[in-house]
Amino acid sequence: MPEANLNIKGLAKTHLSKSINDAGWGNFLSILTVKAGNAGQKTIGVNPKNTSQDCSNCGEKVDKELNIRTHSCPHCGVVIDRDLNAAINIKNRAVGHSVLKARGVRRGTGTGKREAHAIP
């Protein structure tokens, strides 16, 4: 089970400190690791840098402000939810893949189907 390897102590020193400490991220990650172990799974920490900025389809970096909730890649045309894009990138980092082929809404196709498939 992939997880973003967050620097909790570092985050607690930023403007997000109250939120980070209130959320109990350290406890959450500990519980997640135990639950995964009980289910026969393991957690793998990954570097969270640019997981929402890097395109999960082509790997190109697409800068966006935090309030932009849709990942729209001008390089390959993939359009998917920003959090889904980040989740695909986190999973790929955990299993050692650089890019997972994400099929989302492409400009001009009118399709709303969102799926992720491994590149053969």
Side-chain angles (χ1 to χ4, degrees):
M1 178 175 297
E3 66 181 45
N5 192 12
L6 300 176
N7 177 359
I8 296 163
K9 288 182 181 177
L11 288 172
K13 294 177 184 175
T14 69
H15 66 282
L16 298 173
S17 62
K18 184 171 179 3
S19 298
I20 297 300
N21 290 325
D22 288 349
W25 284 108
N27 288 337
F28 169 74
L29 294 177
S30 295
I31 292 168
L32 179 65
T33 301
V34 169
K35 290 292 193 179
N38 291 344
Q41 302 293 316
K42 64 180 179 177
T43 57
I44 301 169
V46 300
N47 183 347
K49 184 177 182 179
N50 293 326
T51 53
S52 65
Q53 303 286 326
D54 293 342
C55 180
S56 59
N57 189 57
C58 69
E60 293 290 331
K61 185 173 181 184
V62 181
D63 291 322
K64 60 184 86 61
E65 298 293 324
L66 188 57
N67 65 330
I68 305 301
R69 304 311 308 159
T70 301
H71 171 78
S72 180
C73 183
H75 306 285
C76 68
V78 72
V79 178
I80 59 176
D81 180 80
R82 178 191 184 123
D83 294 334
L84 176 59
N85 182 65
I88 292 168
N89 284 327
I90 291 168
K91 181 180 179 185
N92 287 339
R93 289 179 187 185
V95 297
H97 296 290
S98 59
V99 174
L100 183 74
K101 183 72 173 175
R103 288 193 283 189
V105 180
R106 296 198 183 261
R107 285 186 231 145
T109 65
T111 178
K113 191 173 182 180
R114 294 180 179 169
E115 299 176 40
H117 300 277
I119 295 174

